[in-house]
PDB file of all heavy atoms in Angstrom:
ATOM      1  N   GLU A 287       9.555  23.303   5.129  1.00 94.00           N
ATOM      2  CA  GLU A 287       8.348  22.491   5.319  1.00 94.00           C
ATOM      3  C   GLU A 287       7.244  22.934   4.363  1.00 94.00           C
ATOM      4  O   GLU A 287       6.545  22.097   3.765  1.00 94.00           O
ATOM      5  CB  GLU A 287       7.884  22.588   6.767  1.00 94.00           C
ATOM      6  CG  GLU A 287       8.839  21.888   7.731  1.00 94.00           C
ATOM      7  CD  GLU A 287       8.483  22.113   9.192  1.00 94.00           C
ATOM      8  OE1 GLU A 287       8.006  23.229   9.525  1.00 94.00           O
ATOM      9  OE2 GLU A 287       8.700  21.190  10.001  1.00 94.00           O
ATOM     10  N   LYS A 301      -0.988  13.086 -10.227  1.00 96.00           N
ATOM     11  CA  LYS A 301      -1.585  11.746 -10.225  1.00 96.00           C
ATOM     12  C   LYS A 301      -3.018  11.784 -10.755  1.00 96.00           C
ATOM     13  O   LYS A 301      -3.494  10.818 -11.357  1.00 96.00           O
ATOM     14  CB  LYS A 301      -1.576  11.166  -8.810  1.00 96.00           C
ATOM     15  CG  LYS A 301      -0.204  10.729  -8.321  1.00 96.00           C
ATOM     16  CD  LYS A 301      -0.281  10.126  -6.936  1.00 96.00           C
ATOM     17  CE  LYS A 301       1.099   9.677  -6.460  1.00 96.00           C
ATOM     18  NZ  LYS A 301       1.057   9.107  -5.088  1.00 96.00           N
ATOM     19  N   LEU A 313     -11.471  26.258 -24.926  1.00 97.00           N
ATOM     20  CA  LEU A 313     -12.281  26.018 -23.738  1.00 97.00           C
ATOM     21  C   LEU A 313     -13.341  27.110 -23.644  1.00 97.00           C
ATOM     22  O   LEU A 313     -13.072  28.276 -23.940  1.00 97.00           O
ATOM     23  CB  LEU A 313     -11.411  26.010 -22.484  1.00 97.00           C
ATOM     24  CG  LEU A 313     -10.297  24.954 -22.459  1.00 97.00           C
ATOM     25  CD1 LEU A 313      -9.480  25.069 -21.182  1.00 97.00           C
ATOM     26  CD2 LEU A 313     -10.867  23.548 -22.603  1.00 97.00           C
ATOM     27  N   GLY A 324     -20.712  42.201 -18.503  1.00 92.00           N
ATOM     28  CA  GLY A 324     -19.745  42.518 -17.453  1.00 92.00           C
ATOM     29  C   GLY A 324     -18.335  42.101 -17.825  1.00 92.00           C
ATOM     30  O   GLY A 324     -17.370  42.832 -17.568  1.00 92.00           O
ATOM     31  N   THR A 330     -12.372  41.562 -17.665  1.00 90.00           N
ATOM     32  CA  THR A 330     -11.960  40.568 -16.677  1.00 90.00           C
ATOM     33  C   THR A 330     -12.906  39.367 -16.714  1.00 90.00           C
ATOM     34  O   THR A 330     -14.046  39.460 -17.174  1.00 90.00           O
ATOM     35  CB  THR A 330     -11.983  41.139 -15.242  1.00 90.00           C
ATOM     36  OG1 THR A 330     -13.327  41.504 -14.901  1.00 90.00           O
ATOM     37  CG2 THR A 330     -11.093  42.360 -15.127  1.00 90.00           C
ATOM     38  N   VAL A 336     -15.084  29.258  -3.540  1.00 88.00           N
ATOM     39  CA  VAL A 336     -15.580  27.893  -3.695  1.00 88.00           C
ATOM     40  C   VAL A 336     -16.873  27.606  -2.944  1.00 88.00           C
ATOM     41  O   VAL A 336     -17.683  26.791  -3.394  1.00 88.00           O
ATOM     42  CB  VAL A 336     -14.492  26.867  -3.297  1.00 88.00           C
ATOM     43  CG1 VAL A 336     -13.350  26.876  -4.299  1.00 88.00           C
ATOM     44  CG2 VAL A 336     -13.993  27.110  -1.873  1.00 88.00           C
ATOM     45  N   SER A 367      -0.835   5.145  18.864  1.00 66.00           N
ATOM     46  CA  SER A 367      -0.021   6.356  18.787  1.00 66.00           C
ATOM     47  C   SER A 367      -0.742   7.547  19.416  1.00 66.00           C
ATOM     48  O   SER A 367      -1.773   7.987  18.908  1.00 66.00           O
ATOM     49  CB  SER A 367       0.308   6.681  17.325  1.00 66.00           C
ATOM     50  OG  SER A 367       0.858   7.974  17.206  1.00 66.00           O
ATOM     51  N   HIS A 390     -15.760  25.528   4.247  1.00 64.00           N
ATOM     52  CA  HIS A 390     -15.124  26.185   3.107  1.00 64.00           C
ATOM     53  C   HIS A 390     -15.504  27.662   2.970  1.00 64.00           C
ATOM     54  O   HIS A 390     -15.025  28.334   2.067  1.00 64.00           O
ATOM     55  CB  HIS A 390     -15.480  25.446   1.815  1.00 64.00           C
ATOM     56  CG  HIS A 390     -14.817  24.115   1.694  1.00 64.00           C
ATOM     57  ND1 HIS A 390     -13.478  23.970   1.411  1.00 64.00           N
ATOM     58  CD2 HIS A 390     -15.295  22.853   1.845  1.00 64.00           C
ATOM     59  CE1 HIS A 390     -13.160  22.691   1.384  1.00 64.00           C
ATOM     60  NE2 HIS A 390     -14.240  21.995   1.642  1.00 64.00           N
ATOM     61  N   ARG A 531     -18.907  35.970  -3.166  1.00 94.00           N
ATOM     62  CA  ARG A 531     -17.619  36.651  -3.350  1.00 94.00           C
ATOM     63  C   ARG A 531     -17.009  36.225  -4.686  1.00 94.00           C
ATOM     64  O   ARG A 531     -17.005  35.044  -5.022  1.00 94.00           O
ATOM     65  CB  ARG A 531     -16.662  36.270  -2.222  1.00 94.00           C
ATOM     66  CG  ARG A 531     -16.886  37.005  -0.920  1.00 94.00           C
ATOM     67  CD  ARG A 531     -16.240  36.278   0.238  1.00 94.00           C
ATOM     68  NE  ARG A 531     -17.046  35.143   0.674  1.00 94.00           N
ATOM     69  CZ  ARG A 531     -16.559  34.089   1.319  1.00 94.00           C
ATOM     70  NH1 ARG A 531     -15.273  33.991   1.575  1.00 94.00           N
ATOM     71  NH2 ARG A 531     -17.367  33.111   1.702  1.00 94.00           N
ATOM     72  N   LYS A 556     -31.327  34.788 -32.564  1.00 93.00           N
ATOM     73  CA  LYS A 556     -29.878  34.542 -32.531  1.00 93.00           C
ATOM     74  C   LYS A 556     -29.111  35.454 -33.476  1.00 93.00           C
ATOM     75  O   LYS A 556     -28.034  35.944 -33.140  1.00 93.00           O
ATOM     76  CB  LYS A 556     -29.590  33.076 -32.874  1.00 93.00           C
ATOM     77  CG  LYS A 556     -29.972  32.084 -31.802  1.00 93.00           C
ATOM     78  CD  LYS A 556     -29.414  30.697 -32.078  1.00 93.00           C
ATOM     79  CE  LYS A 556     -30.033  30.063 -33.297  1.00 93.00           C
ATOM     80  NZ  LYS A 556     -29.610  28.647 -33.464  1.00 93.00           N
TER      81      LYS A 556
END
Side-chain angles (χ1 to χ4, degrees):
E287 291 173 325
K301 287 182 179 179
L313 301 179
T330 63
V336 291
S367 168
H390 289 286
R531 281 161 281 156
K556 288 191 293 187

